[in-house]
Amino acid sequence: MTSRHVFVCGDPALDFAATLRARRSSGTEVLTAPAQLESWYLASGLVDSISPCTEADLERARIVREAVYQLVTDLRHGRPYGETALDVVNEAARRPAAQPQLAPPGRLTTATPQEALSTVARRAVELLGGPDARLLKECGNPECTRVYVDRSRGARRHWCGMESCGNRFKAAAYRARKRQAPALTVR
């Protein structure tokens, strides 16, 4: 299965929360099937192999994803964490996580879907409870609802990623400037 997962948020927990895109409009679901969830776990680099995911694993992952997004949103808006979201993420983080092993080719992390989800939840706990929490920003694209870690110099980044949102808006701004510029007349 070919996937087009995007990892531009600066942390796997944020990229996981971004698997429901355009939350304010179309709400495009990336994790449409258990195979897509497996594909995301592998593409994220959190695990090297994963046992097959079920519909129940997919449903649980979506619940944790929404809880992570809610906690990130609460933090960004200076609100106390929602109790339900906090319980969901903490419960998932308490479960056994994927454990890397040393193998002849190097590090190898084999996981069950539950272990992979626990790893994501733990990343969310580390992010929201760590120094990067103050660097969280939402993408400047009004249609995009990705939250990213802005580690840019001077925290001047406006887009989740140039390849996904930034290029599109910079090109649109350029075209708008060209339309507004007075035409040069040749004499």
Side-chain angles (χ1 to χ4, degrees):
M1 164 180 273
T2 308
S3 69
R4 300 202 56 217
H5 299 296
V6 179
F7 298 91
V8 296
C9 298
D11 188 277
L14 295 175
D15 290 314
F16 191 68
T19 60
L20 179 59
R21 298 191 180 139
R23 290 169 181 270
R24 287 187 286 274
S25 57
S26 63
T28 307
E29 178 63 71
V30 173
L31 303 177
T32 57
Q36 277 295 323
L37 179 59
E38 293 168 23
S39 174
W40 188 90
Y41 286 139
L42 294 170
S44 74
L46 293 175
V47 300
D48 300 304
S49 67
I50 189 159
S51 55
C53 292
T54 65
E55 286 292 334
D57 295 323
L58 178 60
E59 181 59 30
R60 182 72 186 145
R62 287 177 179 163
I63 290 168
V64 171
R65 174 193 64 196
E66 293 310 300
V68 168
Y69 186 79
Q70 183 61 54
L71 295 175
V72 167
T73 301
D74 289 344
L75 177 73
R76 287 187 48 257
H77 292 290
R79 298 187 300 240
Y81 289 135
E83 207 171 301
T84 302
L86 202 57
D87 289 345
V88 166
V89 170
N90 284 332
E91 189 272 327
R94 280 191 293 271
R95 304 263 179 197
Q99 299 297 319
Q101 301 291 307
L102 187 58
R107 181 194 74 103
L108 179 66
T109 304
T110 301
T112 65
Q114 297 83 7
E115 291 168 338
L117 185 59
S118 178
T119 301
V120 171
R122 288 173 186 214
R123 292 297 296 254
V125 168
E126 291 299 321
L127 173 67
L128 294 171
D132 284 346
R134 62 184 176 75
L135 304 176
L136 298 180
K137 285 186 177 177
E138 187 174 63
C139 183
N141 173 352
E143 288 298 311
C144 181
T145 53
R146 287 186 189 115
V147 175
Y148 61 93
V149 180
D150 184 1
R151 294 184 185 102
S152 67
R153 179 191 252 179
R156 296 174 46 193
R157 187 169 148 196
H158 298 286
W159 315 109
C160 59
M162 283 307 294
E163 61 280 354
S164 52
C165 289
N167 282 340
R168 187 173 339 151
F169 276 84
K170 284 190 172 201
Y174 173 77
R175 287 190 301 274
R177 284 192 307 275
K178 291 295 266 183
R179 279 192 302 269
Q180 292 175 350
L184 294 176
T185 55
V186 178
R187 295 181 196 226

